[in-house]
Amino acid sequence: QVQLHESGPGLLKPSQTLSLTCAVSGGSINTGSYYWTWIRQPAGKGLEWIGRVHTSGNTNYNPSLKSRVTISVERSKNQFSLKLTSVTAADTAVYYCARAPLGGGVMVIGFDYWGQGTLVTVSS
Amino acid sequence: ETVMTQSPATLSVSPGERATLSCRASQSVSSRLAWYQQKPGQAPRLLIYGASTRATDTAARFSGSGSGTEFTLTLSSLQSEDFAVYYCQQYNDWPLTFGGGTKVEIK
């Protein structure tokens, strides 16, 4: 059974850099058959896709965050990570990592496995 | 960006009744649409993909339909565990986008 688990600081001050890690267990991150993704959700609000990485290193980011986001994969540790710079209160949210299976190099079903989410609060 | 619009925002339904949720895309997403269920304090769970294919462990009372820009999620006979928020999501183009959600509550 594949499991994803987010970890990282839960409290940041404005202007700091958010750094989260998603550890993948029960399967290898190196198969090349998935996009590894970050999604966030402010309290009481909807879901926002942040971006994704493939084990090839190829990435796509949400244009609304692109200038501040970096997603990378750490193959040897079977995990991937998110960095979001210059955070503000608007970045306060539950952050999820998720897996998107690929077929022929494109997403075929959406996100089939999710982490439990980690709350990140930005406050001075 | 493909904007996904869900309606209604809230749906009040009695147990055993049928619920119909709508999702509209601002441009065609073909059938590259997924539905998720989210309960309080939990991550979303994939219910439907390809607009109409039930994911593993999705009960048969959940059905999806549509293509292009208009999609529907139908819950044929609501059970107590079905009261939750439902999101649609397109995976046809970048950036990936979600609808704002429909909350299905007990009437």
Side-chain angles (χ1 to χ4, degrees), chain A residues 11-66:
Chain A
L11 181 61
L12 293 172
K13 297 185 185 304
S15 80
Q16 290 186 325
T17 295
L18 179 159
S19 294
L20 296 176
T21 296
C22 180
V24 179
S25 59
S28 173
I29 202 170
N30 295 311
T31 65
S33 299
Y34 307 101
Y35 285 153
W36 302 97
T37 304
W38 289 97
I39 294 160
R40 70 181 183 178
Q41 184 174 38
K45 296 188 178 182
L47 299 159
E48 179 181 32
W49 176 76
I50 298 171
R52 62 85 179 163
V53 65
H54 184 264
T55 50
S56 65
N58 185 264
T59 55
N60 273 102
Y61 300 130
N62 193 320
S64 67
L65 299 168
K66 187 175 182 178

Side-chain angles (χ1 to χ4, degrees), chain B residues 82-100:
Chain B
D82 301 336
F83 292 96
V85 179
Y86 293 84
Y87 293 95
C88 61
Q89 177 244 328
Q90 66 81 18
Y91 49 95
N92 186 65
D93 58 14
W94 307 105
L96 306 180
T97 47
F98 292 86

Side-chain angles (χ1 to χ4, degrees), chain A residues 102-122:
Chain A
L102 304 179
V106 297
M107 288 178 61
V108 288
I109 70 169
F111 305 109
D112 62 348
Y113 285 96
W114 296 64
Q116 83 285 357
T118 187
L119 175 63
V120 176
T121 301
V122 180

Side-chain angles (χ1 to χ4, degrees), chain A residues 14 27 69 76-77 85 109 113:
Chain A
V69 172
S76 62
K77 296 182 179 180
T85 62
I109 70 169
Y113 285 96

